[in-house]
Amino acid sequence: MKRIFSGIQPSGGVTLGNYLGAIRNWAKLQQEDYHCLYCMVDLHAITVFQDPKALPQQTREVTAALLAAGIDPKTSIVFNQSAVAEHAQLAWIFNCVARVGWMNRMTQFKEKAGKHRENASLGLYAYPALMAADILIYKATHVPVGDDQKQHLELTRDVAQKFNSDYGVDYFPLTEPLIYGAATRVMSLRDGSKKMSKSDPSDMSRINLIDDADTIAGKIRKAKTDPEPVPVAPPASDEERAARPEAYNLMGIYAALTDKSLAEVADEFGGAPFSAFKGALTDVAVAVMGPITAEMRRLMDHPDEIDAILRRGAEDAREIAAPILREVYDIVGLLRP
Ligand code: TYM
């Protein structure tokens, strides 16, 4: 059976990058021949300190975003990571399978730890092993994510392969990443060389799913561009893209929101001043996101409804995870007296 697992950190609001790079695809994949699990990865979120008073509400907000974006809890399993202890239990075993050298190569750790590497949490360093556990505790075969998660998914395959070969079994599948769409890497509105991120200190750098129409309009109006008009064609090379990162980023967002290709967007707006293009981009962003925002706000007024969905999701997830963990314990030789 084809099984999908994917996760999102409840470390702040949900951004347009999360939506276009991941969540929108998650909703569509439900209609295909997959069994889907979608998880608020709160154990990953606390690898960087989270205010314990705010974290439950952040977890509910991210859940509300998924539901509002069309993820149906009757078809997909929707839950939070800490409610299924098997994730952390398998992660420990994977800490013993993965190698320190593999972790040292992770670019996301280097970026997040920055100059203060010695002071980063051990959890942040081991983050990819927990991520491998999230996926493999369900023996998921496919993982839909944005481009930034590619390296972590390669490590997940390495962990599966090493576990299988260390223990002489053919137990864990080699998971396939699903990275597709016009916006696999949405960039910051203030700096086209940086990813749009919920942890960026500037709220102007991102569009949040919870933003109202005026806020979206203001952020797009102030989004950084260069003095040239809209490009007349998609970038022919990485160098060309790097020369005008903000311009191509806004075009990519428009393409993703309207389900068009970058070439079609270039045909439509090429040569126009950015002020005109920004107006059109605001209109489509508000049209696509408005209904999602409204439903998110409605759900957030009903936290009991969200908690009930998460509770049922955790039960369903545990039913799959528990027998797999038992088998893993047997393979590893951990006594279950
Ligand atoms: P997170 O919470 O940073 O992001 C959730 C999803 O959104 C995608 N994404 C983006 N896509 C395009 N442009 C952007 N600017 C952008 N920002 C974020 C991410 O690629 C991701 O798909 N480590 C993961 C969470 C995780 C996970 C897992 C994912 C934990 N366990 C197991 C898949 C499978 C993360 O931090 O995602």
Side-chain angles (χ1 to χ4, degrees):
M1 195 217 336
K2 293 198 290 184
R3 181 176 284 154
I4 278 184
F5 178 93
S6 203
I8 177 165
Q9 296 193 62
S11 50
V14 178
T15 71
L16 185 63
N18 296 136
Y19 177 67
L20 294 177
I23 299 171
R24 199 170 64 140
N25 293 347
W26 300 357
K28 286 187 192 148
L29 287 161
Q30 297 178 118
Q31 280 126 42
E32 293 177 29
D33 182 26
Y34 289 108
H35 175 228
C36 304
L37 294 110
Y38 296 123
C39 184
M40 301 344 111
V41 290
D42 46 9
L43 296 175
H44 276 109
I46 61 165
T47 57
V48 173
F49 185 79
Q50 302 292 324
D51 176 357
K53 287 198 191 69
L55 185 56
Q57 199 50 23
Q58 287 167 202
T59 304
R60 291 191 185 104
E61 179 177 334
V62 175
T63 309
L66 264 58
L67 300 172
I71 288 167
D72 178 0
K74 292 196 195 73
T75 324
S76 299
I77 298 180
V78 176
F79 68 108
N80 62 310
Q81 188 183 29
S82 60
V84 181
E86 283 81 358
H87 288 241
Q89 292 173 293
L90 183 60
W92 181 260
I93 292 174
F94 286 171
N95 281 346
C96 304
V97 172
R99 305 289 94 182
V100 168
W102 301 359
M103 299 297 157
N104 286 340
R105 285 196 289 276
M106 294 294 116
T107 52
Q108 198 145 323
F109 174 73
K110 290 182 202 161
E111 275 166 28
K112 282 199 181 174
K115 290 187 210 82
H116 311 289
R117 206 169 150 164
E118 295 295 311
N119 207 23
S121 74
L122 193 52
L124 189 66
Y125 189 62
Y127 180 115
L130 176 58
M131 193 163 149
D134 296 337
I135 297 164
L136 295 175
I137 195 65
Y138 305 103
K139 293 190 172 183
T141 53
H142 295 81
V143 182
V145 286
D147 186 64
D148 61 334
Q149 296 302 317
K150 214 175 186 168
Q151 197 185 30
H152 289 156
L153 294 184
E154 280 160 16
L155 186 128
T156 299
R157 292 167 67 96
D158 291 343
V159 168
Q161 209 149 28
K162 187 163 191 301
F163 180 94
N164 289 346
S165 88
D166 283 356
Y167 291 103
V169 289
D170 183 16
Y171 190 72
F172 285 120
L174 297 186
T175 307
E176 295 289 337
L178 296 174
I179 302 174
Y180 62 91
T184 54
R185 194 171 177 79
V186 178
M187 308 310 281
S188 155
L189 299 179
R190 307 300 294 167
D191 176 353
S193 67
K194 278 190 358 204
K195 181 181 81 164
M196 182 181 285
S197 158
K198 48 187 167 258
S199 54
D200 193 299
S202 164
D203 194 55
M204 293 303 284
S205 71
R206 61 180 160 261
I207 293 174
N208 303 299
L209 246 53
I210 201 76
D211 286 346
D212 60 24
D214 286 346
T215 310
I216 294 175
K219 287 178 177 177
I220 293 179
R221 197 167 49 243
K222 294 213 178 73
K224 189 176 165 202
T225 46
D226 54 48
E228 302 296 318
V230 176
V232 294
S237 63
D238 288 348
E239 289 72 32
E240 242 178 66
R241 180 183 292 274
R244 300 193 64 192
E246 288 87 10
Y248 291 119
N249 185 42
L250 294 183
M251 287 170 79
I253 293 174
Y254 187 93
L257 287 169
T258 53
D259 280 320
K260 288 183 177 158
S261 67
L262 212 52
E264 285 171 307
V265 180
D267 278 349
E268 201 176 333
F269 292 99
F274 259 99
S275 52
F277 176 68
K278 282 179 168 181
L281 178 58
T282 303
D283 291 345
V284 298
V286 169
V288 172
M289 290 168 60
I292 299 175
T293 309
E295 175 62 4
M296 242 179 110
R297 289 182 193 276
R298 187 196 69 78
L299 283 162
M300 282 160 65
D301 284 339
H302 298 88
D304 293 350
E305 214 176 290
I306 297 178
D307 290 2
I309 288 170
L310 290 174
R311 213 160 29 239
R312 205 180 50 238
E315 276 167 25
D316 291 348
R318 214 175 303 121
E319 249 170 61
I320 307 171
I324 292 180
L325 188 74
R326 281 198 292 276
E327 285 176 354
V328 171
Y329 273 30
D330 289 344
I331 291 170
V332 174
L334 299 172
L335 184 65
R336 294 192 286 119

